[in-house]
Amino acid sequence: MMGRRCITDQVLLAAVVVVAAASGGLLVAAVKDDDFFVDGSVYCDTCRAGFETNATTPIAGAKVRLECRHYMSASGAVERSAEGATDAAGRYRIELVDNRGAEEVCSVVLLSSPVPGCAEKEVGRDRAQVELVTDAGAGLATTVRRANPLGFLKSQPLPNCGEILKSYGLGSGPGY
């Protein structure tokens, strides 16, 4: 039964490619079931609030890395990694080929920000763990995973940050 499904999936993929090519040259890339994409975003915490506010800005050109370690590794050494950069909207997509799933613990980590005055890594927002398990029974039916947003701190908060934080019901902190 399993062999029949695999052949059916391959025939279906071939049919999609043929139809797409015949209908105007749409480019279709085959993605294996064990390839994953990790999507996320990087922002500048312009109020140094420790979370995103309505003054938060996306960072274009920030560099990030997906790091995967074997879950049983005593050293915690990174076994595989892939890097990416954010687009104009501060979003990235990293492809991890040949996922090993439950054998690995993977995290996206901040590498660098091209924005002067917003390059300090925000502790707690400098990495995000990503589950790459392929178990559809756990509700993970696609090969795209979304990482929590990652943030850099602006060296000096914007002048209106005190008012922004008050609008959230928070008192103003030092420097506001």
Side-chain angles (χ1 to χ4, degrees):
M1 198 64 138
M2 191 65 160
R4 209 179 264 170
R5 178 171 182 224
C6 183
I7 291 171
T8 303
D9 289 348
Q10 290 172 351
V11 169
L12 181 60
L13 178 61
V16 168
V17 171
V18 169
V19 169
S23 67
L26 176 67
L27 180 62
V28 176
V31 176
K32 297 186 322 186
D33 287 342
D34 56 356
D35 293 351
F36 273 84
F37 297 94
V38 177
D39 292 349
S41 61
V42 178
Y43 66 90
C44 178
D45 182 352
T46 55
C47 287
R48 299 183 63 91
F51 54 88
E52 293 176 89
T53 68
N54 58 1
T56 296
T57 57
I59 298 180
K63 292 191 166 100
V64 294
R65 179 174 41 233
L66 179 65
E67 298 179 342
C68 296
R69 297 166 172 77
H70 192 278
Y71 79 101
M72 293 287 289
S73 172
S75 69
V78 173
E79 291 187 356
R80 298 191 307 150
S81 66
E83 292 190 9
T86 56
D87 61 16
R91 297 171 198 234
Y92 62 85
R93 172 169 272 197
I94 300 173
E95 181 178 9
L96 181 64
V97 179
D98 189 29
N99 176 45
R100 296 177 190 144
E103 296 176 6
E104 294 181 309
V105 176
C106 299
S107 297
V108 180
V109 297
L110 286 176
L111 295 180
S112 64
S113 168
V115 178
C118 195
E120 180 185 341
K121 293 178 183 173
E122 185 174 345
V123 176
R125 291 291 196 160
D126 59 343
R127 65 181 47 247
Q129 189 166 324
V130 183
E131 296 297 328
L132 299 180
V133 190
T134 58
D135 183 8
L140 305 173
T142 73
T143 58
V144 178
R145 299 294 183 262
R146 176 91 176 127
N148 286 335
L150 303 174
F152 287 99
L153 293 169
K154 186 165 179 63
S155 54
Q156 292 295 316
L158 297 175
N160 62 335
C161 286
E163 291 304 313
I164 291 170
L165 294 178
K166 284 180 188 173
S167 74
Y168 293 136
L170 302 171
S172 58
Y176 292 122

